[in-house]
């Protein structure tokens, strides 16, 4: 399909047309934050500033009902209690417009875990199959961007159904998949000038990225530092163990399952879980294998840059979006931690 | 800044007796400072002190209990240290306070509103009354007073109230705080006020950054927000649950909150949390003539009582 | 949840076991007539009342909340109601900023022999709640409305 063009002042009507067929999520300013919300014509779309939250909620909601249950007793047989269980599967055709290439590629991290040979997460897949991504190309990296360190890029096509490239007067749209092409059908073709400009925006974006350091040693070095308590205490000193990094991260996929009961009825909820919380590994006995924030930060960084890659063909479970750095109240910088792990020699035990 | 070298020297002098001293260093870009944990003299050389040092470092004290800790504090931060001492959550012998006078810190959010994005900050120049941010090749100059955190405009405690080593000259001019922002907000109708909270709490992600950044929140694993017994809140991400958490947080801070503002600063989705806590402080001040974190031997009002209350009207029912 | 008679509003009463619950009992024994909107939850002492009981009731659908305990200086446990007095006064003053009408929450002191006073308290409070009308019920549509209003204000 040829490249398409949408003028800035036509963006609203294109999104409105999409909203007729799809749940259309766009970035929007709320307070000082930029969050993904369903498109509304009266509310402006924010495409210049980077979104604070990631769009992972579109496919992996923060709270999802997996099933509802109700306890019933038949007065004839009071010794028996029947449980009526109703499974739930949410999801509707969705398109996310205005996420960045890093956000879309984050879902590959999910897929390797939730859509594997052994295990298929049906609730996740039901949404994943119905969600399309039109990703905005980043013209220039933020000081916190490091997508090219982990195999991504500002104009990467990986994971998106269409790319949206800012040019004079609007955006050039490049279809990457058949479903992506369907989204662009109603738009006019881009002119040659516009197509050329789009190409140069993409190349300029790639050039603007600083050279990525060599992270090939990360997998081994992070594991080598596993018993180095002093190293991790130093790295984690300023962490306050909240959940900001985890909840804003496009690749964090851990969840918790809770039954909430109200009288004789209840619901089984799946909610995002947060490995930075001290309760993450709290066991029923009261023992906690990761009692300190040093343990937990070691796990987070280790998981993303070492354990996950060793289980999944070397793929790093991080898309380099930089949200964790930007939004962290203490400005913990995961890049610095990984580079420190590579650079710091492993302390040899004495004796 | 002239205080910085003296501060570094004071810390280096005391460092041998201490396990760690907490201060600030340059963060990931010229606009961000980040907490620095100094253990060796070389670490102290990375210390900075300027209006970008927004973090309240007292929040790390309860986590470092049992160690000999030094902490660098501004006026507002020192109130948190005093409140922690008042409640005996830290031991005076274990804390060495390096106090500083402060003329205000920058609100990163206010600069964000002016620039549209903080993604491209290349350089920051600070002078006595201005800050110039170079972003995307362009210089933007702001008066420090215009981009200072709201709390600085009404600061009554510019100099650290408690210190083992005070660096610089104590500042004496105090602003007045008449809680005008609280009063202005309350003039709205009940419906408008409730709608405001329903709107802002909707974007809450329940990360608990507000709770963990608060120096007074020490419950950690046992916070009622995450407990099943008592089961205050469910795991549903409804606005009721998220709003109830803020009410819990505010009530549990009644008479303890020192208005450092870290809760609001830490919120990744910029929910205006400080307003609730300021309302609480306003009422506590009116009822009990008490401000948290100002007197080491003060008693938090909700942990004590008087048989005859001066300001509470025994209801005429 | 059981259906509430349309004419009745949901008022929750937290009563201390020793004085106020006894007072309510005395009112019952004396066969005083009073509105039945208020449903009682018995606690050992008004000092047991965590202000969050009140807050959680109000945002989960209660139209009014009443707390009643022993008179100060007469607490069965000596000091419980002194703490309660402070906490509940602070709570009452806190409610306005949330957009909750502070008249929906009240705390009183009723002793075990004050049956007549209990009847007065319940009648007056129920009347007040009826005048205020049902409390806004927070649900998804209300949140959506709040967000739409906020958007228009920008």
């Amino acid at each position: 399909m040829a490249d398409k063009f949408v003028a800035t002042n036509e963006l609203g009507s294109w999104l409105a047309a999409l909203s007729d067929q799809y749940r259309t999520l766009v970035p929007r300013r709320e307070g000082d934050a930029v969050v993904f919300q369903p498109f509304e014509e009266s509310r402006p779309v924010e495409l210049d500033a980077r979104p604070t939250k990631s769009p992972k909620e579109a496919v992996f909601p923060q709270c999802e009902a997996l099933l509802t249950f109700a306890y019933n007793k038949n007065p004839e047989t009071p010794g028996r209690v029947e449980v009526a269980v109703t499974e739930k599967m949410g999801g509707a055709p969705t398109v996310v417009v205005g996420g960045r290439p890093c956000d879309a590629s984050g879902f590959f991290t999910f897929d390797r875990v939730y859509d594997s040979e052994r295990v298929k997460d049906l609730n996740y897949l039901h949404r994943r199959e119905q969600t399309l991504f039109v990703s905005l190309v980043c013209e220039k990296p933020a000081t916190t961007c490091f997508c090219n360190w982990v195999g991504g890029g500002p104009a990467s096509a990986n994971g998106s159904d269409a790319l949206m490239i800012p040019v004079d007067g609007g955006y050039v749209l490049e279809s990457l998949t058949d479903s992506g092409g369907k989204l662009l059908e109603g738009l006019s073709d881009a002119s040659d000038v516009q197509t050329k400009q789009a190409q140069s925006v993409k190349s300029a974006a790639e050039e603007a990225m600083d050279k990525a350091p060599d992270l090939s040693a990360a997998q081994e070095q992070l594991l080598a530092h596993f018993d180095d308590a002093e190293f991790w205490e130093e790295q984690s000193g300023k962490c306050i163990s909240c959940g900001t990094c985890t909840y804003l991260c496009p690749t964090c996929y851990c969840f918790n399952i809770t039954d909430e009961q109200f009288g004789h009825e209840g619901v089984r909820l799946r909610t995002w879980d947060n490995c930075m919380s001290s309760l993450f590994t709290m066991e029923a006995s009261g023992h906690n294998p990761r009692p300190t924030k040093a343990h937990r930060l070691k796990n987070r960084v280790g998981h993303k840059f070492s354990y996950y890659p060793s289980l999944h063909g070397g793929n790093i479970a991080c898309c380099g979006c930089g949200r964790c750095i930007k939004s962290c109240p203490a400005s913990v910088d995961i890049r610095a931690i990984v580079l420190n792990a590579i650079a710091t020699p492993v302390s040899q035990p004495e004796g | 800044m002239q205080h910085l070298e003296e501060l570094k020297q004071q810390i280096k002098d005391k460092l041998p007796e201490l396990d760690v001293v907490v201060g600030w260093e340059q963060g990931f870009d010229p606009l961000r400072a980040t907490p620095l944990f100094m253990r060796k003299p070389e670490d102290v050389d990375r210390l900075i002190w300027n209006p970008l040092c927004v973090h309240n470092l007292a929040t790390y004290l309860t986590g470092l209990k049992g160690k000999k800790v030094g902490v660098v504090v501004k006026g507002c931060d020192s109130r948190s240290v005093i409140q922690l001492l008042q409640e005996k959550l830290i031991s005076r012998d274990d804390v060495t306070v390096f106090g500083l006078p402060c003329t205000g810190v920058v609100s990163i959010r206010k600069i964000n509103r002016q620039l549209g994005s903080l993604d491209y900050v290349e350089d920051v120049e600070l002078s006595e009354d201005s800050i110039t941010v170079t972003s995307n090749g362009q210089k933007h100059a702001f008066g420090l007073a215009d981009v200072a955190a709201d709390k600085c405009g009404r600061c009554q405690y510019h100099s650290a109230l408690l210190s083992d080593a005070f660096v610089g000259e104590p500042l004496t001019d105090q602003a007045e705080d008449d809680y005008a922002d609280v009063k202005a907000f309350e003039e709205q109708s009940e419906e408008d006020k409730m709608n405001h909270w329903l709107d802002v709490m909707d974007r809450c992600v329940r990360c608990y950054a507000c709770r963990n950044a608060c120096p007074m929140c020490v419950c950690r694993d046992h916070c009622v927000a995450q407990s099943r017994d008592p089961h205050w809140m469910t795991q549903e991400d409804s606005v009721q649950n998220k709003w109830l958490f803020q009410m819990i947080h505010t009530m549990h801070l009644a008479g303890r909150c020192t208005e450092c503002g870290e809760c609001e600063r830490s919120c990744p989705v910029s929910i205006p949390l400080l307003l609730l806590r300021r309302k609480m402080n306003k009422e506590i001040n009116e009822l009990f003539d008490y401000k948290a974190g100002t007197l080491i031997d003060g008693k938090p009002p909700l942990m004590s009582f008087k048989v005859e209350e001066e300001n509470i009207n025994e209801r005429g029912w | 949840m059981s259906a509430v008679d349309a004419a009745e509003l949901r008022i929750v009463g937290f009563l201390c076991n020793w004085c106020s619950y006894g007072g309510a009992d005395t009112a019952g024994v004396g066969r005083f007539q009073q509105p039945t909107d208020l449903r009682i939850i018995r606690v050992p002492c008004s000092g047991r009342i965590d202000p969050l009981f009140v807050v959680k009731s109000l945002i989960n659908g209660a139209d009014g909340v009443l707390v009643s305990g022993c008179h100060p200086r007469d607490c069965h446990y000596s000091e419980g109601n002194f703490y309660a007095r402070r906490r509940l006064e602070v709570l009452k003053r806190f409610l306005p900023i949330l957009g909750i009408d502070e008249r929906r929450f009240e705390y009183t002191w009723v002793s075990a022999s004050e049956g007549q006073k209990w009847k007065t308290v319940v009648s007056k409070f129920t009347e007040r709640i009826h005048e205020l009308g049902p409390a806004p019920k927070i649900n998804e549509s209300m949140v959506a409305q709040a967000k739409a209003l906020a958007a228009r204000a920008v």
Side-chain angles (χ1 to χ4, degrees):
Chain A
M1 184 193 243
D3 286 354
K4 302 284 184 183
F5 174 79
V6 67
T8 315
N9 53 18
E10 288 167 4
L11 196 59
S13 40
W14 174 55
L15 292 169
L18 283 179
S19 305
D20 288 335
Q21 295 181 296
Y22 302 88
R23 180 174 69 125
T24 306
L25 297 172
V26 292
R28 192 161 81 198
R29 266 198 197 277
E30 285 194 15
D32 291 309
V34 179
V35 299
F36 284 91
Q37 293 279 21
F39 172 72
E40 277 170 60
E41 287 211 62
S42 56
R43 300 187 68 170
V45 178
E46 174 61 66
L47 290 175
D48 293 319
R50 285 184 167 78
T52 317
K53 277 188 181 182
S54 82
K56 83 175 161 181
E57 274 188 285
V59 180
F60 188 59
Q62 182 158 18
C63 175
E64 182 177 21
L66 296 176
L67 53 87
T68 55
F69 55 89
Y71 291 99
N72 290 312
K73 255 188 180 179
N74 189 333
E76 312 284 309
T77 49
R80 277 178 63 136
V81 179
E82 286 178 355
V83 186
V85 172
T86 318
E87 285 181 3
K88 299 233 164 244
M89 185 84 81
T94 304
V95 64
V96 178
V97 180
R100 302 294 171 122
C102 50
D103 299 334
S105 67
F107 289 103
F108 290 131
T109 306
F110 277 76
D111 290 341
R112 286 182 207 108
V113 177
Y114 285 19
D115 187 14
S116 69
E117 292 292 306
R118 285 190 310 121
V119 168
K120 289 195 187 300
D121 186 320
L122 300 175
N123 291 72
Y124 168 81
L125 285 173
H126 187 67
R127 286 197 165 86
R128 178 76 165 118
E129 287 157 358
Q130 300 184 79
T131 308
L132 303 170
F133 293 94
V134 177
S135 299
L136 185 63
V137 162
C138 307
E139 292 177 88
K140 201 179 133 117
T143 46
T144 45
C145 286
F146 60 106
C147 53
N148 62 337
W149 294 26
V150 291
S156 166
N158 219 8
S160 305
D161 295 280
L163 278 184
M164 205 165 148
I165 306 128
V167 295
D168 293 331
Y171 301 89
V172 165
L173 289 140
E174 228 181 80
S175 160
L176 298 168
T177 63
D178 289 335
S179 337
K182 282 209 187 69
L183 301 170
L184 309 180
E185 265 165 11
L187 297 171
S188 40
D189 284 348
S191 69
D192 284 335
V193 170
Q194 287 166 338
T195 308
K196 267 185 89 173
Q197 202 190 354
Q199 293 306 319
S200 63
V201 166
K202 289 206 293 184
S203 331
E206 305 274 357
E207 311 257 307
M209 302 295 292
D210 286 332
K211 185 168 181 306
D214 181 9
L215 292 187
S216 51
Q219 192 176 325
E220 210 184 284
Q221 277 292 96
L222 281 165
L223 203 53
H225 280 293
F226 192 85
D227 290 316
D228 195 344
E230 208 185 293
F231 174 78
W232 290 108
E233 261 178 51
E234 249 187 73
Q235 303 301 313
S236 66
K238 58 198 190 193
C239 171
I240 60 173
S241 300
C242 65
T244 299
C245 54
T246 314
Y247 292 160
L248 299 186
C249 172
T251 62
C252 274
Y253 57 81
C254 287
F255 61 84
N256 196 17
I257 298 190
T258 326
D259 284 354
E260 300 284 4
Q261 198 165 327
F262 312 100
H264 294 297
E265 297 168 348
V267 62
R268 175 160 294 174
L269 298 170
R270 169 162 71 180
T271 54
W272 290 352
D273 206 349
N274 161 30
C275 66
M276 304 309 286
S277 159
S278 43
L279 294 174
F280 187 71
T281 44
M282 177 67 80
E283 295 170 4
S285 60
H287 171 63
N288 189 346
R290 293 189 200 134
T292 69
K293 59 186 184 180
H295 286 92
R296 297 191 287 271
L297 190 65
K298 169 175 72 173
N299 172 69
R300 181 157 206 271
V301 182
H303 167 84
K304 286 184 175 298
F305 287 85
S306 180
Y307 321 149
Y308 183 101
S310 65
L311 292 169
H312 296 282
N315 288 294
I316 292 177
C318 169
C319 61
C321 70
R323 286 182 174 87
C324 53
I325 306 166
K326 218 189 301 198
S327 296
C328 174
S331 300
V332 172
D333 191 336
I334 200 171
R335 299 171 294 188
I337 298 175
V338 175
L339 292 175
N340 280 342
I342 295 176
T344 309
V346 181
S347 53
Q348 296 300 330
E350 274 145 52
Chain B
M1 295 181 80
Q2 70 272 48
H3 300 157
L4 183 58
E5 291 313 311
E6 201 193 321
L7 178 61
K8 283 183 183 173
Q9 196 48 55
Q10 293 266 16
I11 294 176
K12 284 184 180 168
D13 289 341
K14 292 222 160 54
L15 202 53
E17 319 154 0
L18 300 170
D19 290 314
V20 65
V21 178
V22 192
W24 302 275
E25 66 172 331
Q26 197 60 51
F28 62 86
D29 79 359
L31 196 57
R32 259 51 91 93
T34 187
L36 166 69
F37 287 69
M38 299 170 269
R39 294 183 172 89
K40 309 186 287 286
E42 310 88 82
D43 297 336
V44 185
D45 292 325
R46 285 154 48 196
L47 182 71
I48 62 168
W49 165 235
N50 58 37
L52 300 176
C53 297
V54 296
H55 312 76
N56 181 351
L57 302 171
T59 197
Y60 296 109
L61 288 176
T62 43
L64 292 166
K65 207 166 171 192
K67 299 210 171 121
K68 298 271 181 216
V69 183
V71 62
V72 183
V73 294
K74 316 185 280 286
C76 44
D77 307 337
S78 69
R79 283 179 66 188
S80 304
V81 179
I82 292 179
Q83 188 63 27
L84 287 169
L85 288 169
Q86 215 186 77
E87 294 183 22
K88 302 195 178 25
L89 291 167
I90 54 176
S91 159
R92 183 70 184 94
D93 300 326
D94 287 344
V95 179
T96 305
V97 182
F98 298 92
L100 292 166
C102 168
T103 48
V105 292
V106 156
S107 161
I108 305 289
R109 274 203 198 125
K110 287 190 182 176
I111 296 187
N112 188 18
R113 281 176 217 150
Q114 298 291 333
L115 297 180
S117 165
L118 295 174
D119 284 346
Y120 312 111
V121 173
E122 291 149 22
D123 189 36
V124 167
E125 280 159 45
L126 286 156
S127 79
E128 206 175 295
D129 56 2
S130 75
I131 173 172
T132 306
V133 182
T134 310
S135 167
N136 229 355
Q138 277 198 317
K139 276 188 195 271
H140 304 260
F142 307 103
L144 275 176
D146 297 324
V147 292
D150 286 335
K151 65 174 179 175
C152 302
R154 45 181 188 242
C155 175
Q156 298 171 297
Y157 307 101
H158 289 283
S159 309
L161 293 168
L162 169 75
S163 52
D164 293 300
F166 191 88
V167 175
E169 289 304 310
L171 295 164
T172 46
D173 69 310
Q174 321 273 45
E176 276 301 309
D177 186 4
D178 57 355
Y179 295 101
D181 55 331
V182 175
K183 291 181 191 155
F185 181 82
E186 289 201 290
E187 266 158 35
Q188 297 172 75
S189 72
E190 305 295 344
E191 206 189 320
D192 284 343
K193 284 185 277 190
M194 186 178 280
N195 280 337
H196 172 257
W197 292 113
L198 294 179
D199 171 50
V200 297
M201 290 316 301
D202 186 55
R203 59 181 188 259
C204 167
V205 278
R206 243 163 114 178
C207 62
Y208 301 122
C210 50
R211 178 192 76 185
N212 288 26
C214 175
M216 304 317 303
C217 268
V218 296
C219 293
R220 307 286 149 167
D221 301 7
H222 306 285
C223 178
V224 288
Q226 294 178 295
S227 90
R228 300 288 291 172
D229 177 22
H231 195 35
W232 281 107
M233 298 182 294
T234 68
Q235 290 296 301
E236 296 161 301
D237 64 344
S238 62
V239 173
Q240 280 120 303
N241 277 320
K242 297 190 269 196
W243 196 22
L244 181 63
F245 171 66
Q246 283 309 321
M247 294 185 210
I248 293 178
H249 199 221
T250 311
M251 296 263 17
H252 284 184
L253 286 171
R256 308 171 63 226
C257 168
T258 57
E259 275 180 54
C260 66
E262 286 289 88
C263 46
E264 193 170 290
R265 183 186 72 79
S266 304
C267 178
V269 289
S270 70
I271 299 176
L273 302 167
L274 195 54
L275 188 65
L276 287 173
R277 290 142 183 76
R278 277 178 58 68
K279 162 68 174 174
M280 189 57 86
N281 284 344
K282 167 176 171 278
E283 299 306 330
I284 296 277
N285 197 23
E286 274 171 29
L287 280 171
F288 309 113
D289 192 23
Y290 176 87
K291 271 191 155 51
T294 46
L295 297 166
I296 265 202
D297 51 3
K299 200 141 200 273
L302 291 186
M303 294 186 196
S304 56
F305 60 85
K306 283 198 181 127
V307 177
E308 301 287 342
E309 292 286 358
E310 284 147 12
N311 294 320
I312 300 181
N313 168 23
E314 307 256 301
R315 306 269 143 196
W317 284 77
Chain C
M1 306 242 193
S2 56
V4 172
D5 182 343
E8 264 193 9
L9 292 176
R10 274 217 156 90
I11 305 180
V12 184
F14 292 96
L15 268 52
C16 91
N17 175 58
W18 301 101
C19 286
S20 294
Y21 197 72
D25 206 43
T26 306
V29 163
R31 302 201 185 291
F32 295 136
Q33 293 296 318
Q34 60 219 21
T36 50
D37 303 48
L38 185 130
R39 306 302 170 90
I40 297 172
I41 296 175
R42 180 174 65 117
V43 294
C45 176
S46 52
R48 170 67 179 96
I49 304 297
D50 189 329
L52 297 172
F53 294 174
V54 177
V55 154
K56 190 167 160 119
S57 312
L58 287 169
I59 61 169
N60 278 323
D63 299 302
V65 177
L66 177 75
V67 174
S68 184
C70 307
H71 286 274
R73 292 165 281 281
D74 280 343
C75 178
H76 183 85
Y77 302 100
S78 316
E79 303 163 345
N81 58 5
F82 290 143
Y83 289 105
R85 181 172 52 181
R86 283 201 167 193
R87 273 179 220 143
L88 298 173
E89 181 63 29
V90 167
L91 173 67
K92 196 156 161 70
R93 290 173 170 233
F94 180 55
L95 290 176
I97 200 161
L98 301 171
I100 297 175
D101 197 326
E102 48 100 25
R103 291 170 297 175
R104 293 191 183 274
F105 164 64
E106 196 53 75
Y107 67 97
T108 60
W109 316 110
V110 171
S111 78
S113 56
E114 291 180 315
Q116 179 63 48
K117 180 167 183 192
W118 178 246
K119 173 205 157 99
T120 314
V121 162
V122 173
S123 310
K124 272 170 110 176
F125 190 64
T126 308
E127 200 184 303
R128 188 209 275 183
I129 298 297
H130 275 271
E131 264 164 43
L132 290 171
K137 301 285 179 273
I138 302 171
N139 52 26
E140 270 179 37
S141 66
M142 197 175 161
V143 175
Q145 222 181 0
K147 291 186 84 71
L149 279 169
R152 249 170 266 154
V154 166

